[in-house]
Amino acid sequence: MKRVTPYMLLAPALLFTVFILLYPMGQNLVNSFRDVSLVREGRGWSGLLNYEHVFGDAVFWLAFRNTAVYAVAGTSLALLVGLSLALVLDVNTGKMSSVAAGLYSIPWVISPVVAGFAWKWLLNDHFGILNYWLSSAGIARNGTSWLGNPHTALFCVMAARAWQFYPFAMVMFLAGLQSIPAEQYEAASVDGASSFRKFFHITIPNLRPVSSVLLLLGVIWSFNDFNMVFVMTRGGPINASMVLPVLVREYSFVHFDLGKGSALSVMIFALLVTLSFLYLRVLARRERA
Amino acid sequence: MRKTLLFIPLAVLALIILLPFLWTVSTSLKPLTEVNRYPPEWTSPSMSLKPYSDMFFYLPFSRYTLNSLIVASSATMLTLIVGSLAAFAFARFRFRGRKQFLLVLLLSQMLPGASVIIPLFQILKTAGLYDTHIGLILVHTAVLLPFVIWLLHGFFSGIPTEVEDAALIDGCSRLEALRRIILPLALPGLGATALFAFLGSWNEFFFALILTNSDATQTIPVGIGLFVGEFEDVWNQMSAAAVLFSIPPLILFMAMRRTFVRGIAAGALQ
C-alpha cells in the first residue's frame, strides 16, 4: 500500500501533463511528416515535404531573423533597463524605494495583451501622445506611423516587450546586488578604491551569474512570445515584424496548412530545447560555484 | 533632505515608465470627440466614466468577464487540487522515478505553446471540447501545473515532519494527515500559489485565442486582442476594457508583492 501511494498522488498531475502536453508534442511531430489540412481531407504521409515548404518560404527566413533580433536585442534592452533601475533602487531609502520598486514592476503584472494595446495606442499616428511630443520637438513628422512602417515596426514591438520584461530583471538584479557581501566593498574602501572601480571590480563580477540566467530565460521566453507581436502588428506590415510563433498560427489557422504549421513548430521546439539545455548547464554551473 | 532629493527622480522615473498605461487610463475617461482630437490632451473637462458603461453596452464585455471569471477560478481550483497531491508526493515520499518525474515537470514548463497548439486543437475538436469553457480550463490547468507543483513543493517541504508523524502515530492515514495537518499549515503558501495560478489563467492569451471561437467562451484578453484590429474607432471603450481588466492583477500584486518578488527570485534561481 505504502509503495503505491506516491504514484497515486502523482497520477492526476501526470495525466494532465501527458495528455495535454506530452502526447500533443508527439502528435505534433507526427503531423509534421503528414499532409494535414483544416479545410480538406489529408493525403497521409508526405515525408519531409512540410519541412521543405517551410525552408522554401521567404517569410520563414524573415521571421527567423526577426525572432532572433526580437529575442536577443529585446532581452538585452530589458536587462540594461532592469540593471539601471536596480542600481537606483539599491540606494537604500527604506519605504520609498520599496514603493518605487512596486510601481516599476507594474508593466510585468499587467497582461501582455493590455501592454500591447497600450503601446499601440501610445504610438498611434494621429492621436497618440508620443507622436505629438516627437513632432512638437521636431524629431519626427506628425502622422508618422511607427507600427505601419516596415523599418520601425519590429523595433516598436521589441521596445514594448522589453517594457514588460525589465521588471523581472530589475527584481533579480536587486536581489543579486543585495546579496553581495558588504565586506568586499569595505575592503575595497580601505584600499582606497574609487566607487567607479568598486562598480567594475566588485558589482559587475558579482552580477555575472544572475545576468547569464536572465539573458537565457529572457531569450527563451521572447522566442516563445506570441502575444506582443500579434496584438500590436499581427506580424505586419507585409511580414516586416513577423516572428515564428505568429507564423505558426498563420500557416495553421490562416492558410489552414496544419502540416506546415507543425513542421515549423517542431523546429521552434528544437531551437528551444537547445536553449533550455544551455540554461540548465548555466544553472548547474552556478550550483557548483 | 537626502530623501526629498531622491523622491523627485524616483517619481519622475515612475511617470516615464508608466506612460503607456497612464495614457490608456486617460483615454478611457474621454468621450470619442476628445480621443480623436489633435493635439492630444491628457485631461479634458468632459472626462467621465461613460466609456466604462458604454463598453458593456456596445461590446460583449460582460460576457467576456463572466467567461474569464469561470475559466480562471475553475483552472485555479483544479490546479491547486491536482498540484497539492503531486507536491505532497514529492515533498514527503522517496520513491522510484522521483527524479525523472521532476525532470518531466521542469521540462514541460519550458514547452513552447506553439508546438502543442495544433494537436490540442485537433484533440479538443474530436472530444467536442473545442470552444468550451471545460476545454480551456483543462488546458490552462495543464499549463499551470508544473509551476504550481513546484511552488507548493517548496511550501510543503518547509513544514516539519514531526507534526505529521504525531498525527500518523495517532492513527491518521497519510491523506488525512495531508488534509488535516499539512494543508492548514501551508495555507499562506496555498493562497499565494492560488494567486499565481489565477493570474496565469486570467492573463493567458495564446491558448484562449486559438481554442475558443465564440462570444460565449472567449475571455477578456481574447476580446481585447481581437478588437484591437477591428474596432479602432472606439479607442476609449477599448482603453476602458484594458484598464478594468488590469485591476484584479494590480490589486493582487499590491496585496502580495513580497510573496511575488520572492516567488520570481526563487522560481528562476533554484
Side-chain angles (χ1 to χ4, degrees):
Chain A
M1 175 58 205
K2 228 181 152 197
R3 268 167 174 254
V4 291
T5 317
Y7 299 106
M8 277 164 58
L9 292 171
L10 277 180
L14 277 177
L15 280 179
F16 269 101
T17 313
V18 169
F19 276 102
I20 301 188
L21 299 175
L22 299 181
Y23 169 72
M25 197 56 241
Q27 183 62 45
N28 195 50
L29 190 64
V30 173
N31 271 347
S32 75
F33 297 112
R34 293 177 68 96
D35 176 85
V36 198
S37 162
L38 252 188
V39 284
R40 55 167 175 79
E41 203 63 32
R43 297 202 194 92
W45 296 100
S46 63
L48 290 173
L49 206 62
N50 287 324
Y51 290 89
E52 278 170 33
H53 286 160
V54 173
F55 281 122
D57 183 4
V59 179
F60 161 74
W61 293 104
L62 180 62
F64 182 70
R65 201 200 54 148
N66 283 348
T67 312
V69 172
Y70 179 70
V72 176
T75 305
S76 312
L77 183 65
L79 257 57
L80 213 63
V81 175
L83 177 61
S84 319
L85 288 173
L87 287 168
V88 170
L89 292 173
D90 195 41
V91 179
N92 198 358
T93 51
K95 184 103 184 119
M96 208 158 71
S97 38
S98 140
V99 171
L103 287 173
Y104 299 171
S105 304
I106 286 179
W108 184 72
V109 184
I110 60 176
S111 159
V113 174
V114 171
F117 169 84
W119 273 84
K120 191 171 179 180
W121 175 226
L122 184 80
L123 292 166
N124 185 279
D125 46 356
H126 292 293
F127 310 116
I129 195 86
L130 206 64
N131 246 328
Y132 169 63
W133 283 345
L134 290 176
S135 61
S136 307
I139 296 170
R141 225 180 34 225
N142 184 49
T144 308
S145 175
W146 302 101
L147 290 172
N149 179 336
H151 298 291
T152 49
L154 184 68
F155 179 77
C156 293
V157 182
M158 207 173 76
R161 168 73 193 167
W163 183 73
Q164 270 234 296
F165 183 66
Y166 86 79
F168 180 80
M170 178 187 83
V171 169
M172 301 272 290
F173 276 131
L174 198 56
L177 283 172
Q178 284 164 355
S179 68
I180 301 176
E183 294 85 42
Q184 291 190 14
Y185 289 108
E186 282 156 20
S189 300
V190 171
D191 292 343
S194 65
S195 19
F196 187 75
R197 278 185 70 92
K198 277 192 252 175
F199 180 73
F200 281 101
H201 291 276
I202 300 176
T203 315
I204 293 289
N206 270 299
L207 289 181
R208 193 161 295 147
V210 188
S211 319
S212 49
V213 169
L214 276 173
L215 189 65
L216 267 170
L217 261 187
V219 168
I220 291 173
W221 287 347
S222 308
F223 219 94
N224 265 331
D225 181 51
F226 167 89
N227 304 335
M228 204 57 91
V229 171
F230 184 80
V231 172
M232 287 179 73
T233 64
R234 299 277 202 277
I238 351 164
N239 298 316
S241 61
M242 183 59 79
V243 291
L244 295 175
V246 177
L247 193 59
V248 170
R249 177 184 176 272
E250 188 100 347
Y251 284 166
S252 316
F253 299 104
V254 180
H255 305 161
F256 306 121
D257 192 342
L258 294 186
K260 195 173 169 191
S262 298
L264 176 56
S265 60
V266 168
M267 284 150 65
I268 298 181
F269 180 68
L271 272 165
L272 275 161
V273 168
T274 318
L275 286 173
S276 306
F277 184 70
L278 267 174
Y279 172 67
L280 289 175
R281 284 209 27 187
V282 170
L283 277 190
R285 199 173 315 149
R286 267 174 60 84
E287 255 158 45
R288 258 182 283 129
Chain B
M1 186 55 207
R2 207 173 94 106
K3 282 210 164 178
T4 35
L5 268 182
L6 267 167
F7 173 77
I8 296 165
L10 284 179
V12 170
L13 268 177
L15 286 180
I16 296 174
I17 285 165
L18 295 178
L19 180 71
F21 195 63
L22 294 174
W23 180 236
T24 302
V25 173
S26 157
T27 306
S28 75
L29 295 165
K30 289 187 223 163
L32 261 189
T33 49
E34 303 275 324
V35 171
N36 297 328
R37 160 177 298 177
Y38 190 84
E41 303 267 356
W42 277 94
T43 55
S44 90
S46 46
M47 273 179 151
S48 73
L49 287 171
K50 197 164 171 297
Y52 285 83
S53 56
D54 283 351
M55 92 193 203
F56 285 108
F57 188 71
Y58 292 110
L59 307 172
F61 268 99
S62 45
R63 185 66 225 190
Y64 292 156
T65 310
L66 184 68
N67 294 334
S68 272
L69 285 173
I70 293 174
V71 171
S73 49
S74 316
T76 304
M77 254 185 317
L78 198 56
T79 318
L80 277 192
I81 295 170
V82 176
S84 53
L85 292 176
F88 184 61
F90 284 125
R92 284 297 190 262
F93 290 90
R94 296 279 161 272
F95 52 92
R96 195 189 285 263
R98 186 173 177 277
K99 256 204 167 139
Q100 285 77 358
F101 284 135
L102 272 172
L103 194 70
V104 166
L105 279 176
L106 184 75
L107 287 181
S108 60
Q109 207 184 342
M110 293 278 182
L111 217 66
S115 54
V116 290
I117 191 66
I118 297 166
L120 270 183
F121 172 82
Q122 294 172 310
I123 294 169
L124 291 189
K125 268 237 144 125
T126 322
L129 292 174
Y130 171 71
D131 198 23
T132 63
H133 287 139
I134 300 176
L136 191 57
I137 291 166
L138 292 176
V139 171
H140 277 183
T141 303
V143 172
L144 293 167
L145 259 179
F147 190 59
V148 161
I149 292 178
W150 188 82
L151 271 181
L152 288 175
H153 174 241
F155 288 123
F156 288 171
S157 306
I159 297 169
T161 42
E162 288 81 17
V163 196
E164 211 185 320
D165 291 341
L168 290 178
I169 291 167
D170 289 346
C172 276
S173 73
R174 272 325 257 269
L175 273 183
E176 257 181 297
L178 169 68
R179 195 167 59 83
R180 294 204 178 168
I181 313 284
I182 298 209
L183 287 184
L185 280 175
L187 210 58
L190 275 173
T193 312
L195 284 183
F196 274 113
F198 187 86
L199 286 190
S201 172
W202 181 260
N203 284 344
E204 201 285 321
F205 178 60
F206 180 63
F207 290 111
L209 173 76
I210 292 174
L211 301 177
T212 62
N213 197 29
S214 64
D215 285 350
T217 40
Q218 279 170 333
T219 54
I220 309 176
V222 178
I224 296 175
L226 284 179
F227 283 158
V228 167
E230 290 163 33
F231 290 78
E232 305 213 322
D233 41 344
V234 287
W235 281 105
N236 56 347
Q237 288 180 42
M238 295 294 305
S239 300
V243 171
L244 219 54
F245 176 61
S246 306
I247 288 177
L250 285 176
I251 291 178
L252 293 178
F253 172 68
M254 289 306 164
M256 307 285 306
R257 203 161 66 76
R258 267 167 217 290
T259 326
F260 251 112
V261 169
R262 222 181 305 135
I264 345 178
L269 280 181
Q270 282 174 9

